[in-house]
Amino acid sequence: MSPKPPPRLLLSCGEPSGDAYGGELVAQLRSTRPELAAIGLGGDRAEAAGVQLVAHVRDVAVVGLLEVVKHLAELRSIFKRILAEVDRLQPDVAVLVDYPDFNLRLARELKRRGIPVVYYVSPQVWAWRRGRIRTIRDNVARMLVLFPFEEPIYREAGVPVNFVGHPLLDHVKPVADKATTLRELGVDPARPVLAVLPGSRPQEVRHNLPPLLGAIERIGARRPDVQFLLAAAPSLPEDVFAAARTRPGVDLVRGRTHEALASASAGVVASGTATVEAALQGLPMVVVYRVSPLTYALGRPLLRVNQFAMVNLIAGRTVVPELMQADFTAERVANEALALIEDPARAAKMRTDLAEVRRRLGEPGAAARAAALVAAYFPQAT
């Protein structure tokens, strides 16, 4: 009797955070099915887990309507290459991680080919483009969500769904010694430290960095004792931080976001995964975000929520201040950040609220729970 073929998986994630979550899920699958054959779109984490990459996330990590239009030809080419590999490998299941404009189109093509789709990390249907739920219901076999408020949305829409918790719960830990960590990062632990996170993608940094640098200048003028840790994601090119390198008193730290968030007095954090990590660290913060004016003008009428920061959505109320688009100015960022540094009672209240957010995110083990649900689509091992 010939041996059964190995389980086969397609992974598709188009952003650094998705690569981290997808790579961890594949590593969990491989721990029980080491013969797993996996292909797809991912990054360094997915590749390290044994995924044979058709394309890398750095080739597709674009944000905003205008930016997507500029990269349409490249995105279409990658899409076709992925489908060609799907037709060659015939995967047992596809795991699509967030990145909805690309992945929901891919889900339709996979459904036509009879390949079940497990969607890991929900598109933000609770915030905008609620009509995507119909596409998900028609093409997705199971939705795996990270946030508790998402589960009833899908259940009521008739989409099979599991709340698996957030992968960051397994990784976000307090540092052993804040003072030592701050010294290693090049700042004085006896003085206030503001962690500044401008985003994980080049376009985000280009939009967010100018007002953040303006805020740093204003804070420095009012409180010369405040120190600044500008956290850069390892995948970001050096040139996007050129303006920051000329600013006195700004320490650029690359690949050490965890330590910066765990040790700082307060933070200014671009909306996204980093806000969840900051919340898990109990870091008082201001959440900021900006896209191109045209992207915002086209997208704003579609928004269904008044708040966008994930921390506030999990809590169901305002826990952290949000400064979005026109509200995201250097002066307002400076005022909100200084309020957290200068008002210990306000900072303490926010830490208490963030602890409640952490409790709502459930228990560690998200990747293992997600992997068990994906593995159910594999042929049984002999």
Side-chain angles (χ1 to χ4, degrees):
M1 181 183 294
S2 61
K4 285 188 177 181
R8 296 159 296 178
L9 173 79
L10 170 71
L11 177 72
S12 178
C13 42
E15 299 169 308
S17 60
D19 172 53
Y21 303 155
E24 187 174 13
L25 186 149
V26 172
Q28 287 283 343
L29 289 169
R30 202 174 290 283
S31 68
T32 56
R33 301 295 296 269
E35 75 277 25
L36 174 68
I39 61 167
L41 168 63
D44 296 343
R45 296 284 294 276
E47 190 169 36
V51 178
Q52 181 181 339
L53 296 186
V54 178
H56 197 283
V57 293
R58 62 174 165 261
D59 301 321
V60 298
V62 294
V63 61
L65 300 176
L66 293 179
E67 292 83 358
V68 169
V69 169
K70 292 176 186 176
H71 291 80
L72 269 180
E74 186 174 8
L75 290 168
R76 284 174 179 153
S77 173
I78 291 170
F79 191 88
K80 290 178 181 178
R81 282 169 18 218
I82 290 173
L83 288 178
E85 286 300 301
V86 165
D87 292 337
R88 178 188 66 80
L89 183 69
Q90 290 295 303
D92 300 302
V93 62
V95 175
L96 313 185
V97 186
D98 201 5
Y99 203 55
D101 287 318
F102 186 95
N103 277 337
L104 289 179
R105 288 179 174 84
L106 184 57
R108 282 194 290 267
E109 293 297 327
L110 295 168
K111 177 69 178 292
R112 293 189 183 110
R113 288 162 167 80
I115 297 167
V117 170
V118 176
Y119 211 109
Y120 187 33
V121 186
S122 168
Q124 295 176 343
V125 294
W126 33 264
W128 73 318
R129 298 180 71 175
R130 187 71 173 240
R132 281 175 164 170
I133 291 183
R134 292 190 296 273
T135 301
I136 291 167
R137 185 176 56 230
D138 292 343
N139 299 290
V140 172
R142 184 157 297 275
M143 176 65 70
L144 308 182
V145 299
L146 308 190
F147 302 106
F149 66 85
E150 295 174 311
E151 190 174 29
I153 294 173
Y154 285 105
R155 200 174 300 287
E156 290 165 12
V159 178
V161 60
N162 294 87
F163 166 54
V164 295
H166 205 292
L168 283 176
L169 287 165
D170 288 288
H171 303 290
V172 176
K173 311 291 183 186
V175 294
D177 186 329
K178 287 188 177 183
T180 298
T181 301
L182 288 170
R183 280 191 287 267
E184 290 173 353
L185 293 172
V187 293
D188 181 358
R191 294 163 51 197
V193 177
L194 185 70
V196 181
L197 279 68
S200 61
R201 293 172 287 194
Q203 293 97 330
E204 288 178 324
V205 176
R206 292 188 178 103
H207 285 306
N208 295 336
L209 193 56
L212 290 176
L213 292 177
I216 287 171
E217 184 176 350
R218 285 164 172 77
I219 294 169
R222 290 160 62 179
R223 284 288 302 268
D225 59 324
V226 175
Q227 304 163 101
F228 305 95
L229 291 176
L230 181 62
S235 59
L236 287 170
E238 292 287 335
D239 65 292
V240 299
F241 291 101
R245 294 187 180 280
T246 63
R247 298 295 178 106
V250 178
D251 290 283
L252 184 65
V253 293
R254 183 175 287 274
R256 302 194 68 180
T257 298
H258 174 82
E259 292 95 326
L261 292 175
S263 307
S265 313
V268 180
V269 185
S271 181
T273 301
T275 63
V276 179
E277 182 173 354
L280 295 178
Q281 293 286 7
L283 180 71
M285 69 180 130
V286 184
V287 175
V288 299
Y289 206 69
R290 175 182 285 180
V291 294
S292 72
L294 181 56
T295 294
Y296 183 78
L298 292 172
R300 183 65 185 91
L302 303 176
L303 287 176
R304 299 170 56 90
V305 292
N306 294 322
Q307 294 185 310
F308 205 72
M310 193 58 69
V311 171
N312 293 336
L313 290 163
I314 296 166
R317 57 191 174 86
T318 301
V319 169
V320 300
E322 301 180 23
L323 299 176
M324 303 292 175
Q325 210 62 17
D327 292 332
F328 177 13
T329 65
E331 186 65 24
R332 291 199 63 180
V333 172
N335 290 340
E336 293 286 356
L338 280 173
L340 292 174
I341 290 171
E342 296 177 341
D343 187 345
R346 179 173 180 172
K349 173 64 166 57
M350 192 177 291
R351 289 190 188 96
T352 299
D353 291 340
L354 293 174
E356 175 60 26
V357 168
R358 183 185 182 109
R359 285 191 290 273
R360 292 191 180 198
L361 286 175
E363 299 297 324
R369 289 188 287 272
L373 291 162
V374 171
Y377 294 89
F378 291 150
Q380 292 301 304
T382 55

